[in-house]
Amino acid sequence: MSTPAAPTPPSAWWSLTVTTAIQAMVSMALLTLPAMAPAVARALAVPSTLVGAYVALCYFAAMLSSLVGGTLVRRLGAIRVSQLGLGLCAVGLALCALPWLPAVALGALCIGAGYGPITPASSHLLALTTPAHRMSLVFSIKQTGVPAGGMLAGALVPGLSLWLGWQGTLLAVAGVCALCAALAQPLRAALDADRQPAQPLALQALFKPIGMVLGQPSLRALAACSFLFSAVQVSTTAYMVTYLNESLGMTLLAAGAALSVSQLAGVVGRIAWGAVADRGLGPRNTLMLLATLMMAGSVLTALLQPQWPTLLIWAIVALLGASAIGWNGVYLATVARQAPPGQAGVATGGTLLFTFMGVVCGSPAFGALAGASGSYRIAFAALALPAALALGLLVWRAAQARREAAAPKP
């Protein structure tokens, strides 16, 4: 009796296509409510600044679920973990459609729990199939799924909300998430062939990724930068529509279009920065450049005026999007390079704890500053501060690395 043939190992580009599509879908799920936040806030009779609390709840759950993401991937396989994530996003969106704040809060937690393990799952697949000299580019292309999902949310959600209502829109996106989870099933045999069903799901799995990051100076510095960068990124994404709608008087459709432009710039930026890091500046210098561009983009966005030409407004939000949304691929590829062999998913999960902490802290802080000052402009200008701190940290770490390299070996 012949034994069944082993599944064909996935190619790098096939893994890249699958992981990018899944990343885009969960990103759209998370940003569906923020993309129509003013309409939802009016329906629930709450201030629109509460969108920051919603985003913080999403990322709080994502922060916790990302810690076990690496272990779950090793036990269940990257595709199965991705399917579970899509399913949780669908449940969360359905809960958010209920006109009751506790249900929306629970829905945010479900969406975040589904969102968190997606990046460790994709990092695991790509680290296994990508040549080292292409890692920054490939990881950057995969991470275009995040702004691509935001671009879809900005382009489709405001129009869908006018057609289906805000509740119908949430349910429609939930249905697409469930459909994507079902469509991924035929891929599991090939892409999850390396799973280890005997991998224990012990409590210590929560702490292993953190210990790996804290025990390695290069990973510590990357994690700290991701904390600061993610605060800029999520505030840009979550509040762009509300800022343009309430401060510049744009319609929801026009503000959504501007959000799509910024997200599209993030898509292009992630690919371009990956190529720049691999073939030109190197990862650390590329991240320094991105921090500088974030500072400029934040200040220019705060200065936007209603009478300015649409193309100029789009150019400014594109600058902010290309930098504040464009850094993740270079960062994740660097993390994968620094991780021990076969541990890219675990290291990614550990650093994502700090990335999501930046979101959990940054988004409510942005909302609180906007509410206390009565101005979204002040809050956008303040985003230059975390970008400047990240730039200083990168410069310091570069100097430290040079000193370590020059030190005599024992």
Side-chain angles (χ1 to χ4, degrees):
M1 182 176 178
S2 61
T3 58
T8 303
S11 70
W13 293 110
W14 180 237
S15 298
L16 177 60
T17 301
V18 171
T19 55
T20 302
I22 292 173
Q23 188 77 66
M25 196 62 246
V26 297
S27 178
M28 182 179 181
L30 193 149
L31 293 174
T32 293
L33 192 147
M36 54 180 178
V40 177
R42 285 192 295 270
L44 298 179
V46 297
S48 59
T49 52
L50 277 183
V51 70
Y54 167 87
V55 172
L57 283 174
C58 287
Y59 279 96
F60 175 75
M63 179 176 67
L64 298 179
S65 65
S66 70
L67 286 176
V68 296
T71 301
L72 286 174
V73 166
R74 292 172 72 85
R75 181 185 175 99
L76 303 177
I79 291 298
R80 177 64 82 229
V81 169
S82 298
Q83 289 175 302
L84 292 173
L86 286 163
L88 281 169
C89 286
V91 171
L93 288 164
L95 286 169
C96 288
L98 299 174
W100 186 43
L101 278 180
V104 175
L106 180 59
L109 291 172
C110 286
I111 292 170
Y115 185 91
I118 298 299
T119 299
S122 59
S123 289
H124 175 83
L125 278 177
L126 295 180
L128 289 176
T129 57
T130 305
H133 67 282
R134 292 181 180 170
M135 271 199 171
S136 288
L137 178 59
V138 169
F139 273 70
S140 293
I141 292 173
K142 193 279 296 184
Q143 281 304 110
T144 62
V146 176
M151 184 173 63
L152 288 171
L156 300 178
V157 167
L160 283 174
S161 68
L162 296 177
W163 178 37
L164 301 175
W166 65 274
Q167 292 166 298
T169 299
L170 288 165
L171 293 174
V173 178
V176 177
C177 285
L179 177 62
C180 287
L183 291 175
Q185 181 58 32
L187 308 175
R188 192 176 185 234
L191 297 182
D192 284 355
D194 66 332
R195 66 186 182 275
Q196 301 171 17
Q199 175 75 30
L201 294 175
L203 183 62
Q204 65 184 13
L206 287 171
F207 303 104
K208 181 181 178 181
I210 302 174
M212 183 182 294
V213 171
L214 296 181
Q216 192 166 331
S218 58
L219 289 178
R220 284 202 304 269
L222 287 168
C225 284
S226 78
F227 174 90
L228 296 164
F229 283 165
S230 65
V232 180
Q233 183 180 88
V234 73
S235 298
T236 297
T237 301
Y239 283 98
M240 179 70 73
V241 169
T242 303
Y243 167 54
L244 297 176
N245 176 253
E246 296 188 3
S247 298
L248 272 70
M250 286 186 175
T251 65
L252 273 181
L253 289 175
L259 173 64
S260 291
V261 168
S262 71
Q263 299 292 316
L264 177 60
V267 170
V268 175
R270 290 190 182 202
I271 298 172
W273 300 130
V276 168
D278 277 345
R279 302 180 182 181
L281 290 179
R284 185 181 291 117
N285 289 335
T286 302
L287 291 174
M288 289 181 190
L289 173 61
L290 286 167
T292 304
L293 294 177
M294 281 183 223
M295 294 164 60
S298 299
V299 173
L300 288 172
T301 299
L303 296 174
L304 290 175
Q305 299 297 322
Q307 66 272 22
W308 287 5
T310 299
L311 288 179
L312 178 58
I313 293 175
W314 284 4
I316 290 172
V317 300
L319 171 64
L320 183 57
S323 53
I325 301 168
W327 57 273
N328 301 68
V330 176
Y331 156 74
L332 288 171
T334 308
V335 169
R337 283 193 184 99
Q338 299 291 338
Q343 298 292 309
V346 177
T348 301
T351 56
L352 281 177
L353 170 72
F354 299 91
T355 306
F356 292 150
M357 281 177 61
V359 175
V360 171
C361 297
S363 182
F366 185 102
L369 179 57
S373 65
S375 172
Y376 283 106
R377 295 184 185 279
I378 291 175
F380 267 98
L383 293 179
L385 178 59
L389 290 174
L391 177 60
L393 177 61
L394 288 166
V395 171
W396 172 80
R397 178 58 193 162
Q400 188 179 54
R402 285 194 295 270
R403 288 194 297 270
E404 290 171 356
K409 300 295 186 291

